[in-house]
């Protein structure tokens, strides 16, 4: 069986036709993923016992004649910032190298109840801070399509695993672009749902007002299927929304004729590269499918990166205060006093990017600066959200690039944080507004580097987003991912 090209549907057909058992499939998938992993470092650790136990439960359900669930036997991977009971969750940090959570995140519980088989945990930037996966304490991830290039970040391991074919779908987390940007760089589909659509219970907090869990897969339909499973109100997360969850995969087939799309001027004005040409071609395909395209303006866009790096670092400085050497983390052995112990544990444990953000965040929250930076950034955030709200009074969706450039070389931007931060210039706005957004592959550059098109819709209107992405994918054929 060709593990690398499985989809949720082909896994289901295989199991129901009894061509293989879920346990056999899980064993094959684990063997394949472990053998392929040295090429990318996408997985930090595997959990074969848990995978095989989940697969056996699926086989038992099938033997009893029960429906084994919408993700029955589907090999999946999960970013290592989402906690898993009994299986390490490191957050890509030395501080949590040996941390084992006593409980499962709600998204994990829901995946396994739907029959998914969790193969392992994927590499990421430390505490999800980064755009290249080079901030992991456990080494960078390589892009499976171009091994001298980054897979994007911070969910680089999940995107690379899906592109490499070592799992059918994966979960990532997105605070300012960490699902869409790596999906674009690796040529897979990545979805950031509406803020509150998926419970954050068990997602390690980076910037709580911006954090989202969302899926990666090789097709729009597979992303839609996974999102439907993990979405919905959860009493363990007070910010999870009590909104009905539509049957996303069933709604994919609808026509997109007459949908009104906006192309924001601010996103395209500096985009003269191949990325701009590919987005232009994708928009033409949508027009041929019957969509109306309008030129629009989202004027607050220019302030988005600055606004994000104030709010995200402020929240991060507070959230990361819990890693103090006392509770979850490793403790520095070289300390005489309590304050030395705090200082040394944090000083030795956190990597450079986390330290930079803790300092920046502490500064913008400090007395005398709070109003000038943090409060101001919250006001700008409201303007960004208002831009989108106004656009959606007339439009059904906004279409934009995901990133100004395709996957860059490992090491190319590591010493230039500002240039690294600009990778997310087009994704941060959607995160600040809390609206659903996704990246769908729309071709590759002459060098063969994939590029993603971003689709953004109204709060809780993931259905229209999936319908557009699905229609586009059907028109052009799925997947630009072709691992070298
Ligand atoms: N690259 C952005 C950052 O470093 C976004 C990260 C994310 O979405 N988790 O903050």
């Amino acid at each position: 069986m060709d593990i690398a090209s499985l989809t949720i549907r082909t896994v289901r057909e295989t199991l129901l036709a009894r061509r293989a058992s879920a346990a056999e499939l899980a064993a094959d998938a684990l063997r394949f993923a472990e053998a392929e992993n040295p090429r990318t470092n996408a997985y930090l650790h595997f959990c074969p016992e848990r995978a095989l136990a989940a697969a056996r439960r699926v086989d038992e359900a099938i033997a009893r004649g029960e429906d084994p669930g919408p993700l029955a036997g589907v090999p999946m991977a999960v970013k290592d910032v989402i906690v898993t009971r009994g299986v390490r969750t490191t957050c890509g940090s030395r501080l949590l190298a040996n941390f084992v959570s006593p409980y499962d995140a709600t998204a994990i519980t829901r995946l396994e109840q739907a029959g998914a088989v969790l193969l392992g945990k994927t590499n990421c930037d430390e505490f999800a801070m980064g755009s290249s996966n080079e901030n992991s304490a456990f080494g960078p991830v390589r892009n499976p399509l171009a091994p001298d290039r980054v897979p994007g970040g911070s969910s680089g391991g999940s995107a690379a695993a899906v592109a490499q074919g070592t799992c059918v779908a994966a979960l990532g987390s997105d605070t300012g672009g960490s699902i869409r940007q790596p999906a674009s760089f690796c040529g897979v589909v990545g979805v950031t749902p509406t803020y509150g659509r998926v419970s954050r219970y068990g997602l390690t907090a980076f910037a709580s007002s911006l954090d989202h869990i969302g899926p990666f897969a090789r097709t729009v339909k597979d992303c839609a299927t996974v999102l439907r499973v993990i979405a919905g109100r959860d009493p363990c997360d007070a910010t999870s929304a009590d909104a009905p969850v539509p049957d996303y995969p069933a709604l994919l087939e609808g026509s997109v004729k007459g949908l009104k799309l906006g192309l924001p001027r601010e996103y395209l004005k500096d985009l003269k590269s191949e990325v701009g040409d590919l987005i232009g071609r994708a928009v033409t395909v949508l027009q041929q499918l019957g969509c109306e395209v309008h030129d629009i303006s989202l004027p607050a866009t220019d302030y988005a990166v600055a606004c994000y790096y104030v709010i995200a670092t402020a929240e991060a400085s507070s959230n990361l205060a819990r890693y103090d050497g006392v509770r979850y983390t490793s403790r520095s052995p070289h300390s005489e006093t309590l304050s030395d112990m705090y200082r040394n544990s944090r000083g030795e444990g956190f990597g450079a990017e986390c330290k930079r953000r803790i300092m920046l965040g502490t500064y913008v929250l400090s007395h005398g600066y709070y109003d000038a930076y943090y409060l101001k950034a919250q006001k700008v955030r409201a303007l960004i959200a208002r831009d989108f709200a106004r656009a959606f009074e007339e439009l059904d969706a906004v279409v934009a690039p995901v990133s100004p450039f395709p996957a860059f070389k490992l090491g190319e931007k590591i010493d230039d944080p500002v240039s690294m931060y600009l990778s997310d210039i087009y994704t941060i706005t959607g995160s600040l507004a809390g609206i659903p957004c996704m990246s769908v592959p729309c071709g590759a550059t002459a060098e063969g580097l994939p590029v993603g098109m971003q689709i953004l819709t109204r709060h809780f209107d993931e259905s229209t987003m999936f319908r557009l992405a699905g229609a586009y994918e059907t028109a052009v054929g799925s997947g630009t991912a072709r691992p070298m």
Side-chain angles (χ1 to χ4, degrees), residues 79 125 127-132 135 153-155 173-179 206 211 308-309 312 353 357 420-421 424 428 431:
K79 183 178 182 180
D125 285 303
F127 291 105
M129 296 175 186
S131 307
S132 67
N135 296 335
S154 62
S155 313
S173 72
D174 194 312
T175 303
S178 280
I179 291 177
F206 159 12
D211 294 340
Y308 171 83
Y309 278 97
E353 185 61 25
R357 296 194 188 202
M420 187 74 94
Y421 294 174
D424 303 310
I428 274 173
S431 311

